[in-house]
Amino acid sequence: MQKSFINIGKLYQVRAEGTNLLRGAIMADVPFLENAWMTVKDGLIEDFGKMEDFAPSENKETVDVKGCIITPTFVDSHTHLVFAQDRDEEFVMKIKGMDYQSIAQAGGGILNSAKKLQETPLEVLVERASARLNEAIKAGTGAIEIKSGYGLTTAAELKMLKVIAHLKQDFKIPIKATFLGAHAFPTEDKERYMQTIIQEMLPEIFSNQLADYIDCFCEKGYYSVDQMRTILEAGQKFDLKPKVHVNQFNAIGGIENAIEFGALSVDHLEVLPDEEITLLKDSDTLPVALPGCSFYLNIPFAPGRKMIDNGLPLVLASDFNPGSAPSFNMSTINSLACIRMKLLPQEAFNATTFNAAFALELENEVGSITKGKRANFIIGKKDKTLNSISYNFGVNWIDKVYLNGEEF
């Protein structure tokens, strides 16, 4: 089906093919066309321009946007969307004063999710994950990464990745799968579990092509730098590029070592010394901040303002998961980045659309209004602007979401 969208108030994030990753001061720039049109053909953006140059066609269905804005859909490069059940009981524990580590020591946290997931059939996990992904798309997400890591046995980790494979088949958005078997240790015998990851999980994952990336939670009380290196080295042998959890509570050398292994991204960064900002600036590894986690756990926010001011290409993601960031709403992520990390609305928007596509190697498919990219976009409600995404926190500014040129 071919469509023409006309009378667009402002068409945001209009970029030429091949535009580079945005770094530093340029992250405040969001190019747009005012009083615009856009045409879609075969699920892709065909063309766009000013209304004064629009030439109607009998072969295209016409959609009158009536002065509303259009933006590309969000790209969420870090989520844990597949899990068995919410952990709302831990929410009450947090209110009563327990922190993340204390809840884990009391039998909650990742091991809590792992126990529930191991007991839940695949078809139930698919049903629940599909419902969440439907809601995430309605909230504006048009490309997403999903991790395993709540299985922590070979069978359960494979089950999680098979759920993600089902989602890839069932949904018309780009989905990337990340293997996070090294999320926590399910047993006191850490070396034995490491060998299970390397000798059992990775060969099965590779033979069934179930993952695009490999991850490791490098943090005190979880995986040491040496253990992370062992995991990433094993992943290399199975063609899995790293995207790793680092510096959530402590800086223990994870960033430097992740860069050495050619990590696509390092995610969390709530603790980020100046010397590690320099390391990132001199590398091709993308820094990904997760403000939803900082808000929910009441821990420091990643120094987003400082990263941008030092010339880094910042990415923002939801970290959607049942324990430390139970929200997939990327508009809220924009709000938190502006209010708590001191980003401009334009910077937050670039970090959740254009730059975020690079964090999933999808920069040629999504993230901007560019000829030849997927027609995944949002039509805003009347009188909304780019600022509204961050300004109206907790308020839905979205009228319609389109995927591949079709209303979702």
Side-chain angles (χ1 to χ4, degrees):
M1 174 66 71
Q2 300 179 27
K3 291 188 176 71
S4 297
F5 295 81
I6 63 171
N7 296 320
I8 303 167
K10 285 186 178 179
L11 182 62
Y12 285 107
Q13 200 64 290
V14 176
R15 297 191 182 274
E17 184 180 0
T19 303
N20 292 330
L21 189 68
L22 305 177
R23 300 172 180 270
I26 200 171
M27 284 196 65
D29 178 42
V30 179
F32 64 88
L33 287 176
E34 200 162 9
N35 191 26
W37 57 269
M38 178 175 69
T39 57
V40 172
K41 182 179 180 181
D42 299 329
L44 305 177
I45 297 169
E46 180 185 38
D47 205 355
F48 46 79
K50 302 277 285 183
M51 278 305 298
E52 60 199 55
D53 302 320
F54 178 67
S57 170
E58 294 181 358
N59 298 324
K60 288 185 174 69
E61 175 188 345
T62 300
V63 179
D64 191 344
V65 180
K66 303 183 186 301
C68 295
I69 66 171
I70 284 183
T71 77
T73 48
F74 298 115
V75 178
D76 195 349
S77 71
H78 182 129
T79 82
H80 305 255
L81 182 136
V82 176
F83 54 88
Q85 296 177 29
D86 290 343
R87 294 191 342 232
D88 52 319
E89 71 280 6
E90 294 180 14
F91 179 57
V92 179
M93 296 164 75
K94 289 183 179 74
I95 293 171
K96 291 181 177 180
M98 295 182 69
D99 62 17
Y100 185 81
Q101 292 94 330
S102 299
I103 291 171
Q105 291 167 4
I110 295 166
L111 297 183
N112 184 8
S113 281
K115 182 177 184 298
K116 292 175 179 177
L117 187 132
Q118 291 164 12
E119 297 168 350
T120 305
L122 183 142
E123 58 270 19
V124 175
L125 291 173
V126 171
E127 179 183 359
R128 293 173 182 175
S130 297
R132 296 181 196 115
L133 186 52
N134 262 300
E135 291 301 309
I137 293 170
K138 290 176 183 176
T141 293
I144 197 167
E145 180 255 23
I146 307 172
K147 302 179 188 295
S148 70
Y150 290 137
L152 304 184
T153 66
T154 299
E157 284 293 310
L158 290 171
K159 180 166 62 173
M160 287 192 75
L161 291 168
K162 288 174 183 176
V163 172
I164 301 171
H166 277 281
L167 298 178
K168 286 185 176 186
Q169 290 179 346
D170 296 343
F171 286 83
K172 296 179 180 180
I173 68 170
I175 299 173
K176 291 294 184 83
T178 299
F179 169 54
L180 180 55
H183 200 189
F185 284 102
T187 171
E188 291 297 321
D189 191 342
K190 295 181 178 180
E191 181 58 33
R192 182 176 180 181
Y193 182 64
M194 292 274 289
Q195 291 307 308
T196 298
I197 291 174
I198 295 167
Q199 296 177 6
E200 294 182 18
M201 295 184 191
L202 280 170
E204 282 291 321
I205 290 165
F206 180 76
S207 65
N208 291 285
Q209 293 296 290
L210 290 173
D212 302 293
Y213 304 112
I214 190 167
D215 196 349
C216 176
F217 187 14
C218 182
E219 182 56 71
K220 288 183 179 179
Y222 292 88
Y223 286 76
S224 69
V225 170
D226 286 344
Q227 289 166 334
M228 180 188 78
R229 289 182 63 87
T230 299
I231 294 295
L232 299 189
E233 185 176 5
Q236 281 185 332
K237 295 175 182 177
F238 293 98
D239 298 327
L240 294 177
K241 187 179 292 187
K243 284 173 63 69
V244 298
H245 286 62
V246 293
N247 291 47
Q248 182 173 2
F249 302 108
N250 302 276
I252 60 174
I255 289 178
E256 180 179 2
N257 285 270
I259 290 171
E260 182 183 330
F261 276 88
L264 178 59
S265 70
V266 285
D267 301 28
H268 270 294
L269 311 179
E270 287 87 345
V271 179
L272 190 61
D274 289 346
E275 57 270 24
E276 295 192 333
I277 289 179
T278 301
L279 287 173
L280 286 168
K281 189 173 181 179
D282 294 336
S283 78
D284 294 323
T285 296
L286 293 170
V288 179
L290 309 172
C293 177
S294 294
F295 174 76
Y296 189 75
L297 294 183
N298 196 26
I299 61 175
F301 284 72
R305 176 77 271 142
K306 190 172 185 178
M307 284 191 263
I308 292 175
D309 289 346
N310 277 272
L312 293 184
L314 183 64
V315 175
L316 297 170
S318 74
D319 191 23
F320 174 52
N321 73 79
S324 61
S327 175
F328 45 66
N329 192 298
M330 292 292 280
S331 297
T332 300
I333 297 304
N334 276 256
S335 296
L336 291 173
C338 292
I339 296 167
R340 299 301 301 274
M341 297 167 68
K342 304 304 180 186
L343 269 63
L344 297 172
Q346 294 82 359
E347 293 169 330
F349 182 69
N350 277 324
T352 52
T353 55
F354 189 75
N355 273 9
F358 284 81
L360 292 180
E361 300 179 297
L362 291 172
E363 62 271 19
N364 295 322
E365 287 191 52
V366 292
S368 65
I369 303 298
T370 300
K371 294 178 186 180
K373 286 191 178 183
R374 287 180 184 244
N376 289 7
F377 58 88
I378 299 167
I379 301 178
K381 292 180 179 178
K382 191 71 175 174
D383 299 324
K384 295 301 180 183
T385 69
L386 189 69
N387 289 344
S388 302
I389 300 171
S390 301
Y391 168 73
N392 291 127
F393 72 92
V395 176
N396 182 24
W397 62 279
I398 295 172
D399 182 28
K400 296 176 182 177
V401 174
Y402 278 77
L403 300 180
N404 306 307
E406 300 294 330
E407 185 177 350
F408 181 73

